[in-house]
């Protein structure tokens, strides 16, 4: 795709396909998205391709649906067929406006813990839009709260590792804690222009004034006075909670949250990053830091929670004062995962430190580290969140939706093994069978596994707890037995048809000399015995028959497996 004529042909085909599909001339962003999605090698040329698309769209806009259909049929009939085969309604991300020349988008976490399912949506959706339209995906660590949401040093790397794992490696990484002098510079610009002031009211005093739509008594003193007080703040002359730099807004605004909001405060707790430490005592609040960075980093589009609309309204005061244009924004509602309810990273951190969880990868947690260790694939997470799309409606979902996507990916790769939990020994008389040969997979030709069989086997206690003498069972892929007493049975042949005729059940089993297995699940540990071949599958996802998919984490004498899902 290096010849200009080839690119022109692609643009024309995709523009016509969109016009035929929707019965109207397409938006430029839709054609750009299709082109970049199908031909990723062109993303670096987005700026030069954008005018080309505009030229074709003008030509298409002058035609009729009948003409579009005929031209596409002659040019690329396969694209007509593609439209006719699409019967399901479109899922996924809606088109973004104003994407000419590509987009710059960001995900801005506070690294006070590793990414969770909530974080994943932001990582996936923002990176996917950049893949679609070309441009830059930026990770910006909003790590300017050394106290309430104190960063974890490990979490910086965890975010970058998980982004890479998700197929969302950032083009640029920014740490806000490195850039305080930049924020100071803009604060001083606003102070000098009379748009920001130093407030020494107590929190209670200012709240009372604000609620009554009254200004701080220092609000309208001269910029020179406020600059003097600002320098005192920076030199450490003020204690915590005694002073705030505020952005002037409308003190009588109908929304109290927008009245003279705080931009900087004094924090004497050292930052955990050793290169920052106690270098600064004046720290920006998130609305100020984010406003400055979104402009400096060239954000074209921002997706944020609808609960943060007030942040956008506050930040626009700064943009207006500095003569900047605010990025295009869209909002999404909350996503509630039924299995986890409400959770916060800070709360999870406290619970881990209290010993309630084994670590950030405990299978009971909604972290990517836990989901990775359980065997959830990144492709499943990407599809799950892309299909969810971007909308302002709050969404309640079950992890079953994610598991369904993951199951499609892992089933063909997962070898099958026997694992017996709550094991009960059955001594079997009359059998001469000493070896069992079982397929590694029921529908994919991957060979066999062999299990030595003695005169006894282990079965799940729940399978035979109500069994009476004379009851028939089939040991899966082995032979038939009849219960003769408590813990005893007799061999009755290998013809599975006899079990079906006699109303018997098929159950799985394990050799008595099998390997001990511990499965860590969201509900707790499950202890039992499995066949020895499981120990060869470390780091792989397998299926324990009649139990579920698991990822084999280690095999040092005892197999430790993390439950994936049913």
């Amino acid at each position: 795709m290096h010849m200009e004529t080839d690119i022109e042909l692609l643009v024309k085909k995709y523009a016509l396909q969109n016009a035929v599909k929707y019965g109207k001339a397409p938006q430029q962003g839709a054609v750009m998205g299709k082109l970049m999605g199908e031909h990723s090698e062109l993303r670096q040329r987005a700026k030069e391709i954008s005018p080309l698309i505009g030229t074709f769209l003008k030509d298409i806009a002058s035609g009729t649906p009948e003409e579009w259909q005929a031209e596409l049929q002659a040019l690329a009939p396969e694209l007509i067929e593609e439209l006719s085969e699409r019967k399901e309604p479109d899922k996924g991300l809606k088109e973004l406006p104003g994407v000419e020349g590509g987009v710059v988008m960001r995900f801005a976490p506070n690294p006070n813990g590793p990414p969770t399912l909530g974080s994943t949506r932001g990582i996936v959706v923002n990176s996917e839009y950049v893949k679609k339209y070309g441009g830059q995906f930026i990770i910006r660590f909003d790590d300017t709260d050394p106290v309430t949401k104190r960063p974890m040093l490990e979490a910086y790397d965890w975010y970058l590792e998980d982004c890479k794992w998700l197929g969302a490696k950032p083009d640029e990484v920014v740490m806000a804690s490195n850039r305080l002098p930049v924020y100071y510079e803009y604060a001083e610009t606003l102070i000098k222009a009379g748009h920001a002031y130093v407030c020494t009211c107590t929190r209670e005093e200012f709240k009372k004034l604000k609620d009554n739509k009254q200004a701080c008594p220092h609000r309208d003193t001269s910029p020179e006075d406020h600059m003097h007080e600002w320098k005192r703040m920076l030199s450490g002359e003020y204690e915590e909670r005694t002073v705030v730099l505020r952005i002037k807004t409308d003190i009588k605004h109908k929304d109290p949250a927008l009245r003279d909001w705080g931009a900087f405060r004094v924090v004497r707790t050292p930052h955990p990053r050793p290169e920052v430490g106690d270098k600064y005592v004046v720290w920006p609040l998130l609305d100020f830091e984010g406003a400055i960075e979104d402009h400096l980093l060239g954000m074209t589009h921002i997706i944020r929670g609808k609960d943060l609309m007030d942040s956008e309204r506050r930040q626009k005061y700064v943009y207006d004062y500095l003569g900047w244009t605010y990025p295009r924004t869209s909002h999404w509602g909350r996503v509630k995962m039924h299995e986890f309810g409400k959770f916060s990273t800070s709360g999870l951190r406290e619970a881990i430190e209290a010993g309630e969880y084994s670590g950030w990868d405990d299978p009971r947690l909604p972290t990517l580290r836990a989901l990775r260790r359980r065997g959830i694939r990144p492709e499943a997470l990407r599809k799950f969140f892309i299909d969810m799309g971007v909308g302002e409606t709050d969404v309640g979902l079950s992890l079953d939706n994610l598991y369904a996507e993951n199951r499609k990916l892992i089933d063909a790769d997962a070898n099958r093994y026997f694992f017996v939990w709550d094991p009960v020994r059955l001594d079997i008389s009359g059998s001469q069978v000493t070896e069992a040969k079982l397929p590694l997979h029921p529908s994919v030709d991957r060979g066999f596994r062999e299990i030595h069989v003695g005169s006894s086997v282990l079965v799940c206690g729940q399978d035979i707890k109500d069994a009476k003498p004379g009851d028939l069972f089939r040991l899966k892929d082995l032979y038939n037995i009849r219960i003769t007493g408590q813990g005893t049975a007799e061999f009755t042949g290998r013809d599975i048809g006899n079990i079906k005729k006699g109303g018997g059940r098929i159950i799985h089993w394990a050799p008595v000399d099998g390997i001990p297995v511990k499965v860590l699940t969201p509900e707790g540990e499950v202890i039992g015995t499995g066949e020895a071949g499981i120990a060869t599958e470390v780091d792989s996802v397998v299926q324990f028959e009649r139990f579920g998919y698991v990822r084999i984490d280690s095999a040092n004498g005892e197999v430790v497996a993390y439950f994936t899902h049913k």
Side-chain angles (χ1 to χ4, degrees):
M1 284 303 156
H2 298 298
M3 300 297 292
E4 297 305 317
T5 52
D6 290 335
I7 296 175
E8 291 174 3
L9 181 61
L10 284 173
V11 170
K12 189 172 185 179
K13 284 162 51 176
Y14 293 145
L16 284 169
Q17 185 189 37
N18 189 283
V20 170
K21 178 180 177 180
Y22 295 106
K24 61 181 181 180
Q27 296 292 315
Q28 181 150 341
V31 180
M32 178 71 84
K34 176 77 171 179
L35 181 66
M36 296 304 169
E38 297 290 335
H39 298 277
S40 59
E41 73 277 7
L42 297 178
R43 290 176 188 154
Q44 300 302 316
R45 304 182 62 184
K47 288 187 177 179
E48 59 183 282
I49 291 173
S50 182
L52 183 64
I53 295 176
T55 301
F56 277 106
L57 295 188
K58 288 180 182 177
D59 293 338
I60 288 174
S62 64
T64 65
E66 292 75 22
E67 291 171 341
W68 301 333
Q69 179 93 16
E71 190 171 2
L72 185 60
Q73 184 67 49
L75 188 65
E78 72 277 5
L79 296 187
I80 295 277
E81 293 176 14
E82 182 182 305
L83 290 177
S84 64
E85 291 171 359
R86 182 176 290 182
K87 302 190 186 302
E88 292 186 4
D90 288 340
K91 285 184 177 180
L93 304 181
K94 61 185 179 182
E95 303 296 335
L96 289 179
V99 297
E100 296 78 7
V103 298
V104 180
M105 302 184 73
R106 49 77 167 168
F107 175 67
N110 183 318
N112 63 329
T116 64
L117 276 171
S119 312
T120 306
R121 188 185 191 191
I123 295 169
V124 167
V125 170
N126 283 284
S127 67
E128 187 67 18
Y129 271 129
V130 172
K131 288 180 180 181
K132 183 173 183 177
Y133 296 119
Q136 270 197 313
F137 173 55
I138 297 173
I139 294 292
R140 186 183 79 224
F141 289 111
D142 286 344
D143 58 345
T144 57
D145 186 348
V147 182
T148 309
K149 294 189 175 182
R150 186 169 176 80
M152 289 181 64
L153 291 179
E154 309 96 313
Y156 293 88
D157 288 337
W158 288 344
Y159 265 99
L160 299 181
E161 289 168 7
D162 284 348
C163 282
K164 184 178 179 180
W165 178 70
L166 284 169
K169 184 178 179 180
D171 299 295
E172 184 176 356
V173 178
V174 175
M175 296 183 188
S177 58
N178 282 343
R179 294 161 65 85
L180 265 67
V182 174
Y183 311 142
Y184 293 166
E185 179 183 335
Y186 284 100
E188 292 174 10
T189 298
L190 294 169
I191 294 170
K192 290 174 183 177
H195 300 312
Y197 66 96
V198 174
C199 170
T200 55
C201 298
T202 66
R203 189 176 301 177
E204 295 75 18
E205 288 169 346
F206 184 78
K207 183 180 186 308
K208 184 176 179 179
L209 290 168
K210 182 182 72 170
D211 291 346
N212 289 309
K213 301 181 180 179
Q214 295 175 354
C216 162
H218 310 292
R219 186 181 197 260
D220 294 324
T221 56
S222 70
E224 292 78 14
D225 288 343
H226 288 301
M227 182 61 70
H228 174 73
E229 294 303 313
W230 167 253
K231 295 297 185 182
R232 290 185 63 204
M233 286 178 65
L234 294 180
S235 64
E237 294 183 38
Y238 281 104
E239 294 301 319
E240 293 185 353
R241 298 184 182 87
T242 62
V243 64
V244 174
L245 182 75
R246 297 192 180 278
I247 302 299
K248 285 186 183 179
T249 64
D250 177 1
I251 198 64
K252 298 184 184 298
H253 197 287
K254 63 180 181 180
D255 184 353
L258 270 62
R259 298 173 194 161
D260 285 18
W261 52 274
F264 285 84
R265 81 289 200 205
V266 172
V267 178
R268 293 196 173 273
T269 302
H271 196 279
R273 293 183 60 224
E275 53 269 66
V276 179
D278 59 2
K279 188 184 296 186
Y280 308 107
V281 295
V282 176
W283 286 85
L285 289 152
L286 191 57
D287 281 336
F288 188 86
E289 175 258 308
I292 300 300
E293 288 293 5
D294 283 335
H295 174 76
L296 297 182
L297 295 173
M299 292 302 135
T300 60
H301 298 74
I302 297 172
I303 306 174
R304 55 163 50 109
K306 64 182 183 181
D307 57 317
L308 296 177
M309 287 182 179
D310 278 348
S311 289
E312 180 177 334
R313 297 184 185 110
R314 285 191 285 267
Q315 291 175 339
K316 281 185 175 178
Y317 281 96
V318 173
Y319 274 68
D320 290 344
Y321 292 150
L322 296 173
W324 297 343
T325 300
Y326 203 80
R328 294 176 183 265
T329 58
S330 51
H331 302 90
W332 51 27
R334 292 179 179 273
V335 176
K336 179 182 178 182
M337 306 304 298
H338 296 315
E339 288 81 355
F340 297 113
K342 291 185 69 175
F343 65 87
S344 71
T345 304
S346 299
L348 295 180
R349 182 173 178 174
E350 291 175 5
I352 291 170
E353 291 172 352
E356 295 177 33
Y357 300 108
S358 60
W360 287 103
D361 57 4
D362 189 297
R364 294 169 288 176
L365 296 184
T367 62
L368 282 192
R369 300 185 72 76
L371 293 171
R372 272 176 85 172
R373 201 162 188 184
R374 286 175 56 184
I376 301 297
R377 291 198 180 175
E379 302 93 329
L381 283 159
R382 285 193 73 90
K383 189 170 190 309
F384 176 71
F385 284 110
I386 289 170
D387 284 353
M388 187 185 300
V390 177
E392 292 191 15
T393 304
D394 292 343
V395 180
L397 293 173
S398 168
L399 285 178
D400 288 341
N401 303 79
L402 173 60
Y403 296 159
E405 295 294 344
N406 199 63
R407 193 176 296 111
K408 297 173 190 175
L409 298 171
I410 65 174
D411 184 72
D413 296 334
N415 288 333
R416 271 48 170 181
Y417 292 96
F418 287 152
F419 161 65
V420 172
W421 58 99
D422 184 24
V424 171
R425 179 178 177 130
L426 268 183
D427 297 322
I428 302 168
S429 61
S431 170
Q432 302 300 313
V433 179
T434 59
E435 206 76 27
K437 190 175 184 180
L438 304 90
L440 278 167
H441 196 284
S443 56
V444 179
D445 186 8
R446 199 175 289 136
F448 294 85
R449 63 201 206 265
E450 295 182 351
I451 307 175
H452 172 73
V453 184
S455 59
S456 302
V457 297
L458 299 176
V459 298
C460 285
Q462 65 187 48
D463 283 337
I464 62 169
K465 68 177 182 177
D466 297 323
K468 302 181 295 294
D471 287 350
L472 296 175
F473 290 91
R474 167 81 175 185
L475 299 179
K476 192 174 187 298
D477 294 321
L478 186 59
Y479 51 63
N480 307 331
I481 60 171
R482 178 185 289 109
I483 299 298
T484 56
Q486 187 170 357
T488 61
E490 61 182 356
F491 172 80
T492 63
R494 308 191 70 169
D495 186 355
I496 192 171
N498 292 335
I499 291 294
K500 294 179 179 178
K501 292 176 186 176
R505 291 171 46 221
I506 301 174
I507 61 176
H508 71 292
W509 54 280
V512 293
D513 60 352
I515 189 168
V517 176
K518 177 170 66 176
V519 182
L520 305 178
T521 81
E523 289 74 40
E525 294 183 359
V526 179
I527 307 295
T529 301
E531 54 184 283
I534 296 170
T536 67
E537 296 275 6
V538 174
D539 288 334
S540 297
V541 173
V542 303
Q543 187 185 73
F544 285 167
E545 299 200 39
R546 300 181 67 220
F547 183 83
Y549 296 96
V550 300
R551 181 187 154 276
I552 307 304
D553 193 71
S554 63
N556 300 314
E558 174 190 58
V559 168
V560 176
Y562 275 62
F563 181 71
T564 309
H565 50 68
K566 291 289 187 182

